[in-house]
């Protein structure tokens, strides 16, 4: 049970992955697509191993469901171990991975069957990669949907994808390799539902990015909103920002309402230190949201110079900063901050919600 500020105990809320064991038997899904397991807010999500066990319990109740699983994530692929469900695996080839070995202390680097430390031939990010157990022999399954190579640009990614042995070229209109993982997950889900692979791959190049997921707003010199809510997601957003060219400003907005997770300690596990790699390109950082004070402290510890760091709790003034900015701005909000900021920005840019057609 996570401990909150002041030593107060709070029961784990059964939402998200934790609800699987109750929701799966009720919905009886025909297809279940599982992407990855990374540490999330402790009070919403509990420990990664607990989330995996709840998912496994949910899956055991629906033996007829086709499982679409990320082969590169030992925690996800391990969920299928010994289960009778039909499985479709997706993942990156060795060439598409960055060949950076995960930190041995990282979650997901131990065998899901016997607990031995896994060996990695390559890794894309975090604990995702080509893993094998030297003790019991469990290893990454062969991927039915395999991303053979990726070329990521600022506006999208080009990928060579093999779908059950057939080779295709695809454009994914969302940048960053983690979105290519999401695309591969979508292709595997569509394949399980009997959709035509060519049509599904074509659709990856024509969807609109929305709801704070790499969503662009035409204000100031341009603003790009990337939702953050855990260290892994925040680190991927930082990867993308650091891989961009030119000067930029950064707004990080940390709320602590139920939908964000009340425990904001995860910001200490996110790699904000890497912002120093941007050097002079990083013109300014604004810490905002209900927990702007803690966030500003975190950013100070990360080495953001005091002269370039400020706090702004007013959402109204924050939007004014983005509008007045002379450099492109990246906005990294937690969930409820994203809802509020995108509503304000959408109103200014007369953008309709993507759900409004
Ligand atoms: Zn093992």
């Amino acid at each position: 049970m996570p401990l909150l500020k002041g030593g107060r105990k709070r029961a784990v809320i059964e939402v998200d992955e934790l609800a699987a064991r109750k929701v799966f038997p009720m919905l009886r899904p025909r297809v279940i697509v599982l992407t990855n397991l990374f540490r999330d807010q402790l009070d919403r999500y509990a420990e990664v191993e607990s989330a995996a066990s709840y998912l496994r319990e949910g899956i055991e109740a629906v033996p007829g469901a086709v499982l679409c699983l990320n082969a590169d994530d030992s925690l996800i692929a391990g969920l299928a171990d010994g289960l009778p469900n039909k499985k479709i695996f997706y993942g990156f080839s060795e060439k598409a991975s960055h060949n950076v070995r995960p930190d041995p202390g990282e979650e997901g680097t131990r065998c899901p069957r016997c607990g031995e430390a896994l060996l990695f031939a390559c890794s894309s990010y975090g604990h995702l990669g080509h893993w094998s157990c030297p003790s019991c022999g469990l290893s990454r399954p062969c991927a039915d949907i395999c991303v053979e190579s990726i070329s990521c640009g600022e506006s999208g990614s080009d990928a060579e994808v093999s779908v059950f042995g057939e080779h295709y070229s695809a454009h994914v209109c969302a940048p960053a390799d983690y979105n290519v993982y999401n695309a591969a997950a979508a292709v595997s889900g569509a394949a399980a539902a009997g959709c035509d692979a060519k049509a599904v791959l074509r659709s990856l190049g024509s969807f609109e990015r929305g709801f704070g997921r790499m969503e662009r707003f035409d204000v100031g010199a341009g603003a790009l909103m990337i939702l953050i809510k855990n260290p892994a997601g925040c680190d991927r957003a930082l990867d993308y920002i650091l891989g961009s060219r030119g000067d930029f400003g950064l707004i990080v907005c940390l709320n602590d309402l139920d939908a964000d997770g009340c425990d904001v300690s995860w910001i200490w596990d996110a790699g904000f230190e890497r912002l120093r790699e941007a050097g002079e390109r990083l013109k300014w950082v604004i810490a905002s949201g209900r927990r702007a004070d803690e966030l500003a402290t975190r950013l100070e510890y990360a080495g953001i110079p005091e002269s370039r760091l400020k706090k702004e709790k007013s959402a109204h003034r924050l939007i004014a900063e983005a509008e007045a900015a002379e450099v492109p701005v990246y906005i990294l909000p937690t969930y409820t901050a994203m809802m509020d900021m995108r509503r304000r920005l959408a109103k200014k840019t007369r953008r309709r919600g993507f759900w409004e057609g």
Side-chain angles (χ1 to χ4, degrees), residues 238 250 267-268 270-278 282 285 294-306 309:
L238 294 173
L250 179 66
I267 59 173
W268 292 92
F272 288 109
E273 284 75 8
R274 293 184 48 222
L275 284 169
R276 286 180 294 187
E277 293 169 24
L282 176 59
V285 183
E294 283 98 323
L295 180 60
T297 303
R298 171 71 187 96
L299 293 168
E300 279 172 29
Y301 270 88
I304 306 299
E306 206 179 328
L309 176 62

Side-chain angles (χ1 to χ4, degrees), residues 47-241:
E47 297 291 344
V48 166
E49 289 76 12
S50 305
S53 73
Y54 285 131
L55 281 171
R56 168 103 182 181
E57 207 178 314
I59 293 168
E60 282 171 345
V62 287
V66 180
L67 305 179
C68 299
L69 305 172
N70 188 341
D72 297 349
D73 187 339
S74 59
L75 291 165
I76 291 292
L79 289 173
D81 191 23
L83 293 184
N85 303 61
K86 186 179 172 202
K87 294 141 197 136
I88 296 177
F89 290 101
Y90 63 90
F92 283 10
S93 72
E94 196 158 341
K95 186 181 168 195
S97 304
H98 301 304
N99 294 312
V100 179
R101 304 290 191 280
D103 183 338
E106 199 159 325
E107 281 150 330
T109 55
R110 296 212 155 257
C111 176
R113 186 189 284 166
C114 75
E116 183 63 44
L118 293 172
L119 300 175
F120 283 81
C122 64
S123 158
S124 49
Y125 62 82
H127 63 273
L128 308 187
H130 288 209
W131 53 273
S132 62
C133 174
S135 176
C136 72
L138 188 68
S139 62
R140 173 194 182 269
C142 185
D144 305 296
I145 316 291
C146 181
V147 177
E148 305 284 0
S149 64
I150 312 172
S151 168
C152 287
E154 287 196 21
S155 61
S157 312
D158 291 306
E160 296 297 318
V161 187
S162 146
V163 181
F164 298 109
E166 298 276 329
H167 292 270
Y168 301 92
S169 297
H171 178 70
V172 181
C173 60
D177 52 2
Y178 65 88
N179 280 316
V180 179
Y181 263 122
N182 290 336
V187 172
S188 67
C195 300
D196 173 60
K198 264 189 195 164
V200 174
L201 289 164
R202 204 166 43 240
S203 70
L204 296 174
S206 58
F207 68 86
E208 191 180 334
R209 280 144 45 191
F211 213 51
R213 271 76 170 179
M214 295 265 179
E215 188 173 14
R216 286 195 181 281
F217 293 93
D218 191 16
V219 292
L224 184 74
M225 184 179 284
I226 311 174
L227 172 74
I228 56 167
K229 58 195 183 73
N230 56 40
C234 186
D235 286 348
R236 299 290 77 71
L238 294 173
D239 280 345
Y240 175 72
I241 292 168

